[in-house]
Amino acid sequence: MTVVEMEVQQSSDLERDVVPSVTKALQLLDTFRLHGPTLGVSQISRLAGVPKSTAFRLLAYLEQSGFVERDGRGYCLGRLLFELGNSVPLCRPEGLRETAAPHLTDLFLAASGKAAVHLAVLEQTDVVYLEKIAGPQTMSVPTRVGGRMNAACSGLGKAILAFSERDVIASVLDEGLQRRTRYSVADPARFLQTLRRVNAEGVAHDREEVVLGLVCTAAPILLDGRAVGAISMSGNAIGFNPTTAAPLVQRTAAAISRDLAA
């Protein structure tokens, strides 16, 4: 065997050994995204679909590297992942999250702290929350920074989808429209009609489509006519009027769009 052939063989052996382990380690970390914050080895093994002995070995490496930490008899994500997460472009200086931050604060104060304010982006068929501002007078909203929500149900998702490419909208329809409450839109034709109206008006609404008693007004953050994210105000269906809030949410989204383009 020549030197070149030996190097190729060694590279192949390394790839065969390392790549599956890296994939499995990432699968372990991903279990915390939907099932955390603290999980035991048996739970992690079952959710990730890997043998318990493999999970235990990989968790030891991840703990040694700072990616996970011990939490009693279980594990939780390590602070190193918090640092890495905040290093993604969306969260870095002059990124979407930082650019939007002062505008979101002003929007929250404009509602006298009685409405929750969100910033989100589209990830496949879900919206992912980048920021959330709520206060003691705000209705409890089932969202968290880093969490997800089905895009078709939420005002944020509809605001983004209405200014997205056709293939993006098609992927949402292919996934199927969820009926989370009796007000959720599950008919594709009606959903597309809603998106056309959002595109024309520049504002989207969630009228108890995600949670009963919760309503929302959202507007897209646009760059070159395409949505790169959206912001929203959410409140109690009894005291919060989405239609009245719409102009303020739209002006705030437009201000963020201008700052991003500057």
Side-chain angles (χ1 to χ4, degrees):
M1 181 179 293
T2 66
V3 173
V4 173
E5 290 173 333
M6 291 178 62
E7 290 179 347
V8 170
Q9 181 63 46
Q10 289 174 351
S11 176
S12 177
D13 291 342
L14 180 63
E15 183 176 352
R16 185 176 61 252
D17 294 338
V18 173
V19 172
S21 295
V22 171
T23 300
K24 289 174 183 176
L26 292 174
Q27 290 173 335
L28 299 189
L29 293 175
D30 193 52
T31 60
F32 291 93
R33 183 167 56 88
L34 296 177
H35 305 283
T38 300
L39 299 171
V41 177
S42 297
Q43 289 176 287
I44 296 171
S45 169
R46 174 174 52 82
L47 292 169
V50 301
K52 187 175 179 179
S53 58
T54 301
F56 188 83
R57 174 174 55 84
L58 291 175
L59 284 167
Y61 290 137
L62 291 170
E63 181 184 10
Q64 184 179 4
S65 302
F67 292 105
V68 299
E69 299 174 358
R70 290 275 189 171
D71 185 3
R73 300 182 64 179
Y75 291 88
C76 63
L77 295 177
R79 297 179 185 180
L80 181 58
L81 285 176
F82 174 79
E83 297 179 45
L84 287 173
N86 280 278
S87 297
V88 301
L90 288 170
C91 297
R92 295 179 67 180
E94 299 183 6
L96 177 58
R97 187 180 182 186
E98 183 176 278
T99 301
H103 299 285
L104 296 177
T105 301
D106 289 344
L107 186 61
F108 178 72
L109 294 175
S112 301
K114 296 180 180 179
V117 173
H118 294 93
L119 167 69
V121 294
L122 187 68
E123 178 66 28
Q124 297 178 342
T125 59
D126 295 329
V127 290
V128 176
Y129 296 98
L130 300 186
E131 191 60 270
K132 174 182 179 178
I133 305 177
Q137 300 183 67
T138 305
M139 177 182 175
S140 178
V141 182
T143 57
R144 62 177 177 82
V145 175
R148 287 175 175 253
M149 181 66 68
N150 179 263
C153 293
S154 68
L156 287 161
K158 286 183 284 188
I160 297 173
L161 289 170
F163 293 86
S164 297
E165 299 288 349
R166 290 184 178 180
D167 60 334
V168 176
I169 299 172
S171 66
V172 172
L173 293 175
D174 290 342
E175 181 76 12
L177 301 177
Q178 296 182 11
R179 184 177 289 281
R180 295 179 62 94
T181 75
R182 62 179 179 270
Y183 298 109
S184 302
V185 178
D187 176 58
R190 185 182 168 197
F191 179 71
L192 290 174
Q193 184 180 23
T194 298
L195 293 187
R196 286 192 290 269
R197 184 171 63 250
V198 172
N199 184 275
E201 298 176 354
V203 64
H205 299 293
D206 158 19
R207 300 184 187 276
E208 301 185 74
E209 296 172 49
V210 173
V211 176
L212 291 176
L214 180 69
V215 293
C216 161
T217 296
I221 299 170
L222 302 174
L223 282 181
D224 298 322
R226 296 296 176 189
V228 295
I231 62 169
S232 70
M233 292 179 71
S234 304
N236 193 303
I238 297 175
F240 178 75
N241 188 326
T243 303
T244 302
L248 179 58
V249 175
Q250 287 177 283
R251 288 196 297 270
T252 303
I256 297 171
S257 299
R258 287 193 297 272
D259 284 356
L260 281 174

